Amino acid sequence: IFILAPQVFSIYAACPAHVVWVMIIGGFLFGAGQVGFAFAISMIGIGLTFVICLGIGIGLGFLLPLIFQHPDQLLTPLGLVTILGAILAIIGLIIFTYAGEFRDRLRKPVAARQGISMVSKQVYAVGVLLAVVAGLFSAGQNFSFSLTTQMQSIALSQGASFLGASIIMWPGFLF
């Protein structure tokens, strides 16, 4: 970032406090979600964790900015397609969650015969919950970027390149 926008600290200093706080809090929540994501992988498996996390993250990641920042566009073709996409993502999540639970029920008798312990219902439920939280906080990442676009304008006005301005939030977000 220092090559593309060497004035990163002066850009942050020029931003309103609420924009900087959105960046910091969004980054903290995203990091916490990634910890939950890692635990969910060990509890319910990598496939189901990814489906849940990415489905929620992508579905809400594009729906939340539309609802909160552009509510006037909800009933436009773009808004309706976005809402439809979010609904389809949620339906897919429900199907995949039940499929994972069904898969585990089918494996239980085989695992018992082979002496392999299976994940308990409580561990499965906690794993799904952690994957959901990780997905929500991943959606928050996109929402944070959407709420800090003012930072990009400030970066451009201070001479940052277009690429530097487009990634100006990353250092503070990931810190």
Side-chain angles (χ1 to χ4, degrees):
I1 188 77
F2 292 106
I3 294 170
L4 299 172
Q7 63 280 52
V8 65
F9 294 114
S10 66
I11 294 167
Y12 289 169
C15 287
H18 74 276
V19 172
V20 174
W21 279 111
V22 165
M23 176 184 65
I24 292 169
I25 293 169
F28 176 79
L29 292 175
F30 178 73
Q34 294 312 296
V35 171
F37 179 81
F39 282 117
I41 287 174
S42 68
M43 293 177 169
I44 61 173
I46 194 167
L48 189 55
T49 300
F50 265 97
V51 166
I52 293 171
C53 183
L54 290 177
I56 292 172
I58 292 169
L60 290 179
F62 59 75
L63 188 60
L64 289 177
L66 177 67
I67 291 171
F68 288 104
Q69 293 180 289
H70 309 285
D72 56 311
Q73 294 180 12
L74 277 172
L75 299 178
T76 66
L78 173 70
L80 294 173
V81 169
T82 302
I83 292 168
L84 177 64
I87 290 169
L88 291 174
I90 290 168
I91 290 169
L93 288 173
I94 292 168
I95 291 169
F96 276 102
T97 302
Y98 283 115
E101 191 174 322
F102 180 71
R103 174 204 62 199
D104 286 349
R105 273 188 279 160
L106 289 177
R107 285 185 178 174
K108 244 181 202 172
V110 174
R113 284 193 307 269
Q114 296 175 349
I116 301 169
S117 66
M118 292 296 294
V119 175
S120 70
K121 280 191 177 221
Q122 291 83 11
V123 171
Y124 184 83
V126 170
V128 169
L129 178 65
L130 287 171
V132 167
V133 168
L136 290 172
F137 288 170
S138 290
Q141 172 190 3
N142 191 48
F143 198 45
S144 296
F145 275 82
S146 173
L147 292 173
T148 58
T149 55
Q150 185 178 6
M151 191 178 288
Q152 293 175 355
S153 300
I154 292 169
L156 289 171
S157 72
Q158 290 194 14
S161 68
F162 284 108
L163 181 57
S166 71
I167 62 171
I168 198 65
M169 192 180 111
W170 279 108
F173 184 82
L174 294 176
F175 178 73

